[in-house]
Amino acid sequence: MRKFRTFRQFWPYYLQEHARPLTRALHYVGTSLVILLFAISVIRDHLWPLLLLPVAGYGFAWAAHFAIERNRPATFHYPLWSLAADFWMWTRFVTGRIGMDLAMAGVRSDGTVDPDRRL
């Protein structure tokens, strides 16, 4: 198991583990639901939406990893960095910058990873 010392080192690995567009799309759906549920909880002053956060966030993500990407979620090995990376990936997607990050990580547009750049 590779050990990453910084988030900057971890980020390309995370992107490679999310190479397929549908995997990322399901992560975006889950993260968007997490943000929405959290906002509802704050605005309505209810705690029940907070109970759904793990289901929304991890449900979509893990389904994508097992059914589409066919790999183990990075969360199993790097739980905190994976959580941060999921929100960072969502932010990069929303701002239109994820394509640049994927290219720098060696992730091709067809959802494969350049074997010479695999971490």
Side-chain angles (χ1 to χ4, degrees):
M1 174 66 41
R2 183 170 177 179
K3 295 286 184 183
F4 298 99
R5 291 190 177 124
T6 66
F7 184 81
R8 182 179 222 132
Q9 292 173 339
F10 175 75
W11 179 236
Y13 165 78
Y14 184 84
L15 291 176
Q16 290 178 3
E17 294 294 299
H18 297 79
R20 295 185 177 168
L22 188 54
T23 299
R24 292 190 306 276
L26 287 173
H27 275 68
Y28 302 146
V29 169
T31 302
S32 296
L33 285 173
V34 164
I35 293 167
L36 178 65
L37 288 166
F38 184 79
I40 289 170
S41 179
V42 170
I43 291 167
R44 301 276 182 159
D45 196 26
H46 293 296
L47 293 178
W48 68 263
L50 298 178
L51 298 174
L52 299 176
L53 295 182
V55 175
Y58 290 118
F60 283 92
W62 289 0
H65 283 285
F66 294 126
I68 298 160
E69 203 73 42
R70 301 203 189 275
N71 63 13
R72 261 182 125 180
T75 303
F76 293 175
H77 300 292
Y78 305 97
L80 296 178
W81 278 357
S82 293
L83 180 63
D86 193 54
F87 282 98
W88 185 240
M89 184 171 70
W90 183 88
T91 301
R92 299 297 282 177
F93 169 71
V94 169
T95 59
R97 295 184 174 123
I98 194 67
M100 178 176 47
D101 290 2
L102 291 166
M104 290 179 68
V107 177
R108 299 173 176 154
S109 60
D110 66 356
T112 62
V113 176
D114 180 345
D116 293 333
R117 300 189 53 204
R118 171 68 71 183
L119 297 174

